[in-house]
Amino acid sequence: MKGTVHYEQRDNIALLTIDNPPVNPLSSGVRQGLSDGIAKALADDSVEAIVLTGAGRAFIAGADISEFGGAAQGPSLHDCLQSMDNSSKPIIAAINGTAFGGGLEVALCCHYRVIAPSAPVGLPEVKLGLLPGAGGTQRLPRLIGAEKALDFILSGDPIPGPAAKELGIADSVADGDIVEAGIAFAQDIIAKGSPIRRVRDESELLQADRDNAELFDNARKTSARRMRKRFAPEMIIQCVEAAVNLGDFDAGMKVEAECFAKCLKHPQREALIHMFFAEREVAKIPDVPKDTPTQDINQAGVIGCGTMGGGITMSFLNVGIPVTVLEVDQEALDRGIGVIKRNYDIQVQRGRMSAEEVDQRMGILTGTTEFSDLGTADVIIEAIYENIDVKVDTFKKMEAVAKPGAILASNTSGLDIDKMADATTRPEAVIGLHFFSPANVMRLLEVVRGEATSKETIATSMKLGKRLNKVAVLSGNAPGFIGNRMLGGYTRQAGEIILQGATPYQVDNVILGFGMPMGPFQMNDLVGLDLGWRARKLGGVKPEDVPITARVADKLCELERFGQKTNRGFYIYPEGSRAGTPDPEVVAIVEETSAELGITRREISDEEVLKRCLYPLINEGARILEAGIAIRPCDIDIVYINGYGFPEVTGGPMFWADQIGLENILADIKKFQSEYGGDIWEPAPLLEKLVSEGKTFASLQG
Ligand code: 3H9
């Protein structure tokens, strides 16, 4: 059994300490220890109260997530909680650190709660596709009222100790030794003869909320907006509704148990828990051990202060790392820094940041036009435009000024890191740090290792990613790395489908319906249709040589429809709006292009649109795995969810593929190959191998 609970008697107090490193989840051994410890304390006449705390940095991080879906050993959490609730001796939670999910529910089952100021408490189950299933949906509304309980449970976000006290979750905030504070609290209760306070027996706040249908309507509207297509929020609302309207605690617990079971069985739960473990897995690199030495990053240099460079700069400033940003001339520098300042000012207007915080961030930003000013930086990242010759030249300049040991990084979205490394005499310090736009917002960071990149450079970069609040995924150095390489097939298929009979609006609606935040044509309009068109013009590409999937976009550009920036592209955007409306003129251009190419248009089903856009991602993902560019299938899932808006509830393209069945996907890929041909539909050898062996992508996780 995993984990244990230490029992110790201090005078008339039994001290139970949960010990299941690193974060004390409620694994089988903890439940057993809790059950035994409570029984022992109750049986011992010399014990007058029980104090419960956690060893190390956490109180309890919640149920043991790795046990979900399997057969659990030991007593159930509900049995433990029942014995605590029924205890004839007061139980005081001394919340020393993180109390999440089932951990907070254990604390709510205690009769009193003392909390350390730094201890975060939260019910994050919703983020895992679950609900607080150990009485949290019934006890919290009794303690703080239904409205606040709904907000707290539906957001899943933690709050620190003092806020927990203010909300009514904790009885007292204690500085200093939290165990001593818990024991002192217990002695005080004993001395005063205070009654045991069982949250289950509280009813005042529930009565005040009864028959308030508006409360639940509002919660439904908010969660539909914030957590589109999520199953768990409605289940949570039903549980809280039951707490309020049924009044009886046991009847409410029955509803909670039913709703929890529905969540547990739901595919979203499996996908979201896959994501939880995947996020932690990607940090593990087989040939870069955990104890690989890392360098301190106390100062950064960024080359280029355009959209990417500005966003990267903000990512560093946001976590307090000073940045020197370089531009070609003063005008470009002033413009770039002006944009950064404006972005922060918008945050102030929206109440997300104070003016003092903006001053602090801007105070650690220095602008320059001289490379020599980058000499003190621990990491220098170039974020100039995508041209290998210019990048190579920039790396030569970086190396000339960089201090020994500094990391030299490129923000390229797909160019060859080794070519840049070869331009220097320290290729071991060269790495790709591919941020996603807007870099200060998007969570993904692709870390690209070159042939000679050292383990220390990789370990430092992965650690830096975490410090910048990103999820860093290691990629091999191959064109497009992981994400953009996979994207190619998706966008090409979207372009092909509209020539064969669908409209751009049908394709976008199918992709939106799948749960992506944007369809491919909305994405084109956002990025700007003119980028590809200008590159083709500059490159002297003849009209007849333009790929057929780019023909419609090029025609739109000839009409100066560049996308959102000109208020017209595939969509029409009313002035100042980012919500486009479909345009019959575009449909006419698409139809005209099909005719020019001799393509007979036909009805294309939504199902075909979805498969043809998404299956190339999976096929290419299999190739990427086979070539060792991504370490594991879950690395691809993390890239796609955090960098490309793939819906989280699917668990990412590779996890989703396993759910659909690889044999079904391969059959469709072969069907599309015979109908449409092209390298996109050439089945990846790894996909064929897994199907022939009856295996899944998950079987490659190791
Ligand atoms: C629940 O409670 C349901 C109940 O309502 C109902 C029950 C009937 N279980 O994140 P870290 C592992 S649902 C198992 O790197 P940090 C994690 O995988 C649960 N393992 O550390 C990692 O392992 P490894 C509700 C867990 O300091 C190691 O611990 N609770 C669990 O950055 C360190 O984790 C949650 O959703 C767990 N519950 O952050 C809380 N938690 O080293 C989930 C962690 O092998 N946990 N591990 O990769 C967290 O949010 C963060 O882990 C926490 C620590 C903030 C606690």
Side-chain angles (χ1 to χ4, degrees), residues 570-635:
F570 280 99
Y571 292 81
I572 295 180
Y573 300 86
E575 190 63 45
S577 165
R578 288 187 184 179
T581 50
D583 182 2
E585 195 187 328
V586 172
V587 177
I589 291 172
V590 172
E591 288 171 353
E592 173 198 282
T593 312
S594 303
E596 282 164 13
L597 292 164
I599 299 171
T600 309
R601 294 177 67 79
R602 65 177 171 89
E603 183 113 341
I604 299 186
S605 72
D606 287 354
E607 189 190 349
E608 180 176 335
V609 170
L610 191 72
K611 287 179 175 175
R612 284 180 61 190
C613 286
L614 299 188
Y615 286 7
L617 292 176
I618 296 159
N619 203 31
E620 197 59 32
R623 287 204 183 93
I624 284 173
L625 282 172
E626 202 164 18
I629 296 163
I631 300 173
R632 295 149 290 227
C634 74
D635 293 51

Side-chain angles (χ1 to χ4, degrees), residues 19-175:
D19 191 1
N20 189 16
V23 290
N24 302 332
L26 292 156
S27 314
S28 51
V30 172
R31 297 195 302 273
Q32 187 67 60
L34 207 47
S35 190
D36 294 346
I38 300 287
K40 186 172 170 184
L42 291 179
D44 186 338
D45 288 342
S46 65
V47 170
E48 290 187 82
I50 302 164
V51 171
L52 182 64
T53 194
R57 67 184 198 256
F59 175 67
I60 303 172
D64 185 336
I65 304 172
S66 63
E67 284 183 358
F68 289 140
Q73 288 179 290
S76 77
L77 182 57
H78 284 98
D79 288 344
C80 294
L81 293 184
Q82 207 160 22
S83 65
M84 289 170 63
D85 216 0
N86 294 337
S87 165
S88 53
K89 298 176 184 178
I91 308 179
I92 293 92
I95 306 174
N96 55 303
T98 308
F100 280 2
L104 179 55
E105 290 173 292
V106 167
L108 291 177
C109 200
C110 292
H111 308 122
Y112 299 94
R113 286 153 293 280
V114 181
I115 193 165
S118 59
V121 301
L123 292 172
E125 286 90 340
V126 70
K127 297 183 183 178
L128 301 172
L130 284 170
L131 54 85
T137 66
Q138 303 304 301
R139 286 195 178 87
L140 196 62
R142 284 174 162 79
L143 203 56
I144 66 172
E147 189 172 4
K148 288 179 185 162
L150 275 170
D151 274 357
F152 190 73
I153 304 173
L154 287 170
S155 85
D157 292 333
I159 55 171
K165 161 84 173 70
E166 201 170 312
L167 200 55
I169 291 178
D171 298 288
S172 154
V173 183
D175 289 311

Side-chain angles (χ1 to χ4, degrees), residues 299-347:
Q299 207 186 327
V302 176
I303 301 174
C305 198
T307 309
M308 284 314 297
I312 294 169
T313 299
M314 288 174 78
S315 298
F316 280 89
L317 299 179
N318 291 348
V319 297
I321 302 177
V323 181
T324 302
V325 65
L326 177 132
E327 258 298 353
V328 279
D329 56 37
Q330 195 60 42
E331 198 187 327
L333 188 62
D334 292 344
R335 198 169 44 239
I337 292 181
V339 172
I340 292 176
K341 175 74 168 59
R342 261 199 306 285
N343 284 339
Y344 280 137
D345 288 343
I346 291 171
Q347 299 295 316

Side-chain angles (χ1 to χ4, degrees), residues 465-693:
K466 194 166 184 191
R467 190 160 159 214
L468 297 177
N469 295 319
K470 309 282 178 203
V471 51
V473 178
L474 190 70
S475 170
N477 179 35
F481 312 137
I482 298 175
N484 282 347
R485 171 162 165 180
M486 284 168 68
L487 194 66
Y490 167 80
T491 43
R492 262 158 58 205
Q493 275 304 294
E496 207 172 293
I497 292 166
I498 61 169
L499 294 174
Q500 292 169 342
T503 66
Y505 315 117
Q506 182 193 353
V507 175
D508 280 353
N509 283 336
V510 169
I511 295 300
L512 285 173
F514 178 68
M516 309 261 274
M518 234 181 255
F521 297 100
Q522 289 166 319
M523 174 63 91
N524 283 346
D525 273 0
L526 178 72
V527 173
L529 306 179
D530 54 323
L531 299 184
W533 175 68
R534 278 185 218 283
R536 280 185 282 280
K537 284 203 153 207
L538 276 173
V541 179
K542 293 189 201 126
E544 60 274 24
D545 293 335
V546 170
I548 63 166
T549 51
R551 302 265 172 111
V552 173
D554 278 14
K555 282 188 181 179
L556 294 175
C557 288
E558 298 294 346
L559 298 169
E560 295 196 358
R561 299 180 68 133
F562 297 155
Q564 282 193 19
K565 61 177 91 166
T566 53
N567 294 336
R568 287 161 87 228
F570 280 99
Y571 292 81
I572 295 180
Y573 300 86
E575 190 63 45
S577 165
R578 288 187 184 179
T581 50
D583 182 2
E585 195 187 328
V586 172
V587 177
I589 291 172
V590 172
E591 288 171 353
E592 173 198 282
T593 312
S594 303
E596 282 164 13
L597 292 164
I599 299 171
T600 309
R601 294 177 67 79
R602 65 177 171 89
E603 183 113 341
I604 299 186
S605 72
D606 287 354
E607 189 190 349
E608 180 176 335
V609 170
L610 191 72
K611 287 179 175 175
R612 284 180 61 190
C613 286
L614 299 188
Y615 286 7
L617 292 176
I618 296 159
N619 203 31
E620 197 59 32
R623 287 204 183 93
I624 284 173
L625 282 172
E626 202 164 18
I629 296 163
I631 300 173
R632 295 149 290 227
C634 74
D635 293 51
I636 296 179
D637 290 332
I638 290 290
V639 164
Y640 253 77
I641 285 182
N642 292 285
Y644 297 83
F646 208 84
E648 217 181 342
V649 289
T650 62
M654 309 316 269
F655 184 84
W656 182 64
D658 278 348
Q659 309 303 101
I660 295 171
L662 298 190
E663 68 286 4
N664 297 326
I665 291 179
L666 182 61
D668 278 323
I669 286 178
K670 286 184 171 166
K671 182 164 105 29
F672 294 140
Q673 187 187 28
S674 68
E675 284 171 19
Y676 308 114
D679 54 355
I680 280 183
W681 297 120
E682 183 67 43
L686 177 64
L687 183 59
E688 292 200 288
K689 181 170 175 280
L690 289 173
V691 171
S692 72
E693 293 171 355

